[in-house]
Amino acid sequence: MPRPPLRRLLLLLLLLSVSAARDQPPAAGSAERRCFCQVTGYLDDCTCDVETLDAFNNYKVFPRLQSLLESDYFRYYKVNLKKTCPFWNVISHCGIRDCAVEPCQSNKIPDGIRSAGYKYSEEANTSAKDCEEEESLGAVDESLSEKTVEAVRQWTRHDDAANSFCEADDIQSPEAEYVDLLLNPERYTGYKGPDAWRIWNSIYEENCFKPQSIKRPLNPLTSGRGNMFYSWLEGLCVEKRAFYKLISGLHASINIHLSARYLLQDTWSKKQWGHNVTEFQERFDEVLTQGEGPRRLKNLYFIYLIELRALSKILPFFERLDFQLFTGDKDRDREVKSLLLEILHLIKAFPLHFDENSLFAGNQREAAKLKEEFRLHFRNISRIMDCVGCIKCRLWGKLQTQGLGTALKILFSESQIENLPERGPSPTFRLTRQEIVALFNAFGRISTSVKELENFRGLLQTLQ
């Protein structure tokens, strides 16, 4: 057979090399780019960029915050996990082993927390008037009738509810129990499918100011594509757009936790929890989520900025000399407060905070109406958490919505915080112990999610 011309031989070799390249898997790092290519630079409606937040959180805030949340004051959270769903009949998933929550035995709770979990100081805890309402009312005229005193207390509770973005549990209820958050960590439980979709569908479809005609992308419970969704979202006022981004950011954070603490091995001898890269990709890969994943991750940074700003504004509340994170261990309580103030001063010094003055500006009447809508929508979401069928998921859902709700309460109470008395309770602004624990643990969850993105970047870069 005659030898083919040199030009034909070179062409044949070129074709073979191209074909071989097509058969090869994507180059290293491509999996990482598909999740993170858009998660960079400046964030919408903000003056801060992703890279600055990564460095600030991962190397300054995160390690200090983890130490704080391991302390007794912040690890014990009182919650009612037995409340009835107010919207529909819930199918319990208590049969799923990892959905269970183990409440604390009363003798495990530090004395200072167990005796009066909402108090701030030793004096308040040892006072004969061991009642939260009496603390806020101060000295009630003893000549008043019992009926009048109760009416005043009801007015006080009403005022608290009027400023609250969440429907808080009654911690005096016999169904409310302390939970050790360190022994019941947020992680993948197996709770998924239609019941879980129903929770998020109710949140997004009924509480995010969205008309039914606009389809949310990748909604498993509705038909149609979400092509018009982002055009509609960009046309919203900044407040309603911020509301959606907060919920999306919270959703993204929860999905990151479930992917980072996934049950990788379950045998009779041990359980192994760790990072599930495939699960992360299914939730955030640009191709697998039709472009949704990177948007969700950017919204995580938005909620981080909102909660960060709230913590910067609440510093005067905790700086008061008579404020203690009281557990009964004086030396340890002093150390924990010192660490708390260190974290808050660090956050206060952050130069690129979200400007909440851009929200609810303009016409005062319209702004007040919009703020009330905002508050009621978020309050309704806090009630939906009692419909979560997995008890551990319900625990962390309630805590994180209460924490975010507390952050919003702080952001819109600027004048009250600026006028706090140097000592004693304020008649216009207060935080219960439950709100404090929820606020810092919720931010801890968001901070952990941002830190976990660094871990997932590294894992995805190793994929071929």
Side-chain angles (χ1 to χ4, degrees):
M1 179 180 292
R3 180 180 299 176
L6 181 60
R7 182 178 297 178
R8 288 178 59 191
L9 180 60
L10 292 174
L11 179 60
L12 179 61
L13 291 173
L14 178 62
L15 290 173
L16 288 172
S17 65
V18 170
S19 177
R22 286 177 177 169
D23 293 336
Q24 293 296 318
S30 62
E32 184 265 341
R33 288 195 298 273
R34 288 201 306 272
C35 290
F36 293 101
C37 63
Q38 298 178 33
V39 189
T40 185
Y42 284 91
L43 300 164
D44 297 337
D45 299 323
C46 303
T47 59
C48 191
D49 61 276
V50 167
E51 289 75 16
T52 298
L53 284 176
D54 279 339
F56 180 70
N57 177 73
N58 297 351
Y59 301 106
K60 294 184 177 181
V61 173
F62 176 78
R64 292 175 172 86
L65 189 58
Q66 294 308 299
S67 296
L68 181 74
L69 299 180
E70 290 172 0
S71 67
D72 282 351
Y73 188 90
F74 288 98
R75 70 184 291 179
Y76 296 108
Y77 178 62
K78 197 170 189 181
V79 60
N80 184 354
L81 297 174
K82 300 174 183 176
K83 289 175 71 174
T84 302
C85 171
F87 303 111
W88 61 78
N89 291 327
V90 175
I91 300 174
S92 174
H93 289 258
C94 58
I96 300 178
R97 176 175 50 178
D98 295 315
C99 279
V101 168
E102 184 177 349
C104 295
Q105 299 298 320
S106 60
N107 61 352
K108 300 292 185 182
I109 308 297
D111 291 340
I113 294 176
R114 186 175 68 248
S115 61
Y118 40 78
K119 303 298 182 177
Y120 303 140
S121 66
E122 182 176 11
E123 291 77 10
N125 274 277
T126 56
S127 169
K129 292 185 176 181
D130 191 13
C131 176
E132 188 171 20
E133 285 83 359
E134 287 173 347
E135 180 188 10
S136 63
L137 287 170
V140 177
D141 188 343
E142 293 182 358
S143 66
L144 294 177
S145 69
E146 209 174 291
K147 185 176 180 180
T148 303
V149 170
E150 180 57 30
V152 172
R153 288 174 178 164
Q154 288 181 358
W155 295 337
T156 302
R157 288 193 289 268
H158 174 76
D159 289 343
D160 286 344
N163 293 322
S164 173
F165 283 76
C166 289
E167 185 169 296
D169 289 344
D170 177 7
I171 62 170
Q172 303 306 317
S173 166
E175 292 188 329
E177 298 178 291
Y178 280 102
V179 174
D180 186 337
L181 298 174
L182 298 184
L183 296 182
N184 294 276
E186 184 181 26
R187 59 192 179 191
Y188 184 80
T189 63
Y191 179 59
K192 57 184 178 180
D195 293 334
W197 297 338
R198 188 178 189 181
I199 298 295
W200 287 110
N201 195 64
S202 180
I203 291 172
Y204 283 114
E205 299 296 320
E206 300 170 17
N207 295 280
C208 283
F209 304 96
K210 188 183 74 62
Q212 290 186 350
S213 59
I214 299 296
K215 303 298 182 183
R216 183 165 54 90
L218 301 181
N219 182 354
L221 298 184
T222 62
S223 59
R225 299 178 64 83
N227 296 338
M228 300 297 296
F229 179 81
Y230 286 101
S231 298
W232 163 80
L233 187 65
E234 290 305 313
L236 287 178
C237 63
V238 64
E239 293 84 1
K240 292 182 178 180
R241 193 163 63 242
F243 191 98
Y244 170 80
K245 288 161 66 175
L246 284 174
I247 300 305
S248 174
L250 176 61
H251 195 181
S253 179
I254 292 171
N255 282 332
I256 292 168
H257 304 154
L258 305 186
S259 302
R261 303 193 73 166
Y262 199 92
L263 184 56
L264 301 176
Q265 181 181 350
D266 186 7
T267 66
W268 67 271
S269 59
K270 71 170 183 176
K271 285 187 175 184
Q272 181 182 347
W273 303 86
H275 294 83
N276 187 325
V277 176
T278 301
E279 188 76 16
F280 182 86
Q281 288 177 295
E282 288 178 357
R283 299 173 188 268
F284 299 109
D285 185 285
E286 182 180 26
V287 175
L288 298 178
T289 62
Q290 301 174 31
E292 278 298 293
R295 288 190 179 102
R296 295 168 180 170
L297 292 179
K298 292 195 81 169
N299 290 337
L300 167 69
Y301 287 93
F302 183 78
I303 189 175
Y304 183 93
L305 276 173
I306 292 292
E307 295 194 5
L308 191 77
R309 179 56 171 159
L311 291 173
S312 76
K313 293 175 74 70
I314 199 58
L315 175 60
F317 181 86
F318 292 105
E319 280 187 316
R320 294 175 299 159
L321 293 178
D322 66 337
F323 184 92
Q324 295 181 41
L325 300 170
F326 184 77
T327 67
D329 184 338
K330 289 185 178 181
D331 292 338
R332 180 59 179 155
D333 290 347
R334 194 178 302 112
E335 292 174 2
V336 172
K337 182 176 180 181
S338 176
L339 177 57
L340 174 73
L341 293 178
E342 178 187 344
I343 293 170
L344 292 180
H345 278 286
L346 176 67
I347 290 173
K348 185 77 172 179
F350 182 71
L352 298 172
H353 276 294
F354 176 80
D355 181 11
E356 73 281 1
N357 292 320
S358 63
L359 302 177
F360 307 110
N363 181 279
Q364 288 188 353
R365 180 177 296 179
E366 289 299 317
K369 180 182 176 182
L370 183 59
K371 181 180 176 181
E372 182 63 5
E373 281 187 82
F374 194 101
R375 187 185 70 84
L376 291 176
H377 279 234
F378 194 86
R379 190 177 177 87
N380 202 49
I381 290 173
S382 73
R383 299 177 71 206
I384 294 174
M385 292 300 109
D386 286 315
C387 301
V388 177
C390 166
I391 301 304
K392 183 172 288 184
C393 305
R394 182 182 296 192
L395 163 67
W396 285 101
K398 287 169 74 79
L399 181 143
Q400 290 177 82
T401 51
Q402 185 178 24
L404 177 54
T406 304
L408 294 172
K409 171 182 172 179
I410 292 167
L411 282 180
F412 303 123
S413 302
E414 183 172 14
S415 60
Q416 294 94 318
I417 294 172
E418 288 177 349
N419 293 298
L420 284 171
E422 291 185 6
R423 301 184 67 88
S426 166
T428 59
F429 180 85
R430 66 174 186 163
L431 293 178
T432 66
R433 180 182 176 274
Q434 300 311 105
E435 288 177 309
I436 295 170
V437 173
L439 174 67
F440 283 91
N441 272 282
F443 183 62
R445 296 283 76 209
I446 303 297
S447 173
T448 299
S449 293
V450 172
K451 175 64 175 176
E452 286 292 358
L453 291 187
E454 181 180 67
N455 297 330
F456 276 111
R457 280 182 189 268
L459 292 169
L460 288 167
Q461 285 173 349
T462 65
L463 296 182
Q464 296 296 318

